[in-house]
Amino acid sequence: MKCKQLLVKGKAKSVYSTDDRHKLVIEFRDDITAFDGGKKDVLKNKGNYNAEVSAFFFEYLEQNGIRTHFFTMVDPHHMVVRKLEMIPLEVIVRNIAAGSLVRNYPFREGAPLNPPLVVIDYKDDARHDPMLNDEIIVALKLATPAELKKIKKMALEVNRLLSSLLSDHGITLVDFKMEFGRQGKTIYLGDEISMDSMRLWDKKTGESLDKDVYRFEKGDVMAIYNRVVQRITGPVMNK
Ligand code: ATP
Ligand code: TYD
């Protein structure tokens, strides 16, 4: 599958049209950003690591009944996906209190959230991605009530599946972000699920295994991303 025209150059990925009007190619670049683009770097192989983990998760989720945009990989950092009309929501599922939840609300860092929380932000960099509620989402016509119900149900099911998979590899899924899109009336999971969009803690040591290593300069980001890929895609260690 050949890239035709660059449609979108985001902060970490580029999206290309292809000969098939229903398919796109997403290039996972080596750019990494944090704090609303305030911190930026290029880290060699980051794109490959995130693409590999995303493809692995999408295949696993498809096998477990979740509709995703994933078709196949062209090479280690180019993914063929279904072209979606993206819904500008950042759908975050949280199993443990961390990050902005702890900064903005009186939760104790590390407190379990049972049942998990679904928090939805408006994907709008200029407005710094403000948190939404169901009424605002519907009033802004970002999604219908039926779509919103479906998105939340899918988000919790993805969380259940990924939490279980990661736990088998000795990793706690603290929280993660998803983006959804529609093709006709069908909702698909789009974008990526990777170390850039998840918060992962080592089950034994509590060590960060995700973009927090980059955000807060906790160590060698690429060495950790590489190790996480090997762990997630490798044999189960902790049943
Ligand atoms: P961020 O998600 O970090 O706020 P961004 O919007 O700059 O940043 P990138 O990940 O760099 O995002 O760019 C990828 C773009 O591709 C996003 O706009 C995303 O919504 C879009 N996208 C992802 N999957 C699909 C798809 N299947 N069809 C159409 N667009 C998609
Ligand atoms: P959150 O705690 O809201 O933000 P921060 O990471 O700045 O403390 O993030 C929750 C999870 O969602 C975390 O795993 C990172 C992911 N996420 C993204 O991938 N992109 C985003 O724009 C946001 C807000 C979160």
Side-chain angles (χ1 to χ4, degrees):
M1 172 105 3
K2 282 228 170 68
C3 298
K4 264 175 78 178
Q5 195 194 337
L6 176 66
L7 301 177
V8 180
K9 184 167 181 186
K11 294 195 288 293
K13 303 194 290 302
S14 300
V15 181
Y16 295 88
S17 62
T18 67
D19 295 332
D20 182 334
R21 68 191 177 91
H22 297 299
K23 290 182 179 169
L24 299 172
V25 167
I26 298 187
E27 176 193 2
F28 287 68
R29 305 195 316 271
D30 287 345
D31 299 291
I32 187 162
T33 68
F35 308 118
D36 254 348
K39 182 172 158 86
K40 277 189 208 169
D41 283 284
V42 178
L43 299 177
K44 194 167 168 7
N45 289 332
K46 193 216 68 153
N48 292 11
Y49 295 141
N50 281 355
E52 186 177 351
V53 163
S54 287
F56 181 81
F57 284 153
F58 285 139
E59 281 184 336
Y60 163 75
L61 292 170
E62 284 280 352
Q63 283 159 13
N64 286 280
I66 302 288
R67 287 197 170 102
T68 80
H69 67 162
F70 179 73
F71 286 121
T72 187
M73 296 304 295
V74 182
D75 64 35
H77 58 287
H78 286 93
M79 179 184 286
V80 182
V81 302
R82 182 185 299 271
K83 180 177 183 172
L84 300 177
E85 181 194 343
M86 292 307 285
I87 302 172
L89 301 177
E90 307 216 327
V91 181
I92 297 164
V93 181
R94 299 176 174 277
N95 296 302
I96 293 180
S100 65
L101 195 70
V102 171
R103 288 197 302 275
N104 298 332
Y105 304 92
F107 286 102
R108 180 179 52 79
E109 165 113 17
L113 301 164
N114 202 359
L117 306 186
V118 180
V119 176
I120 306 185
D121 291 348
Y122 188 20
K123 191 173 158 68
D124 184 337
D125 281 343
R127 292 188 167 79
H128 307 289
D129 299 347
M131 191 191 288
L132 296 167
N133 67 19
D134 291 12
E135 283 81 359
I136 299 175
I137 293 170
V138 173
L140 284 173
K141 298 192 168 42
L142 302 178
T144 65
E147 284 177 333
L148 194 52
K149 191 171 167 201
K150 172 81 183 165
I151 286 169
K152 287 188 189 174
K153 191 168 173 226
M154 281 174 81
L156 287 170
E157 181 61 4
V158 171
N159 178 54
R160 192 184 66 76
L161 290 164
L162 292 186
S163 293
S164 152
L165 176 98
L166 287 160
S167 174
D168 288 348
H169 294 274
I171 297 172
T172 302
L173 178 57
V174 175
D175 54 40
F176 69 114
K177 184 263 304 180
M178 284 162 279
E179 292 182 27
F180 293 86
R182 50 175 94 77
Q183 192 188 49
K185 285 192 164 33
T186 308
I187 301 284
Y188 292 86
L189 174 62
D191 204 50
E192 70 178 286
I193 302 184
S194 73
M195 288 71 79
D196 278 8
S197 61
M198 295 185 284
R199 188 169 272 120
L200 303 173
W201 290 349
D202 186 286
K203 264 208 290 197
K204 280 210 188 93
T205 64
E207 182 193 1
S208 286
L209 302 172
D210 57 65
K211 200 159 109 175
D212 274 353
V213 179
Y214 172 71
R215 287 190 188 94
F216 305 111
E217 301 183 6
K218 293 181 177 192
D220 181 342
V221 188
M222 283 307 93
I224 288 174
Y225 274 34
N226 182 12
R227 241 176 51 218
V228 175
V229 177
Q230 304 313 320
R231 262 173 89 167
I232 293 176
T233 61
V236 166
M237 56 183 270
N238 274 12
K239 261 286 179 196

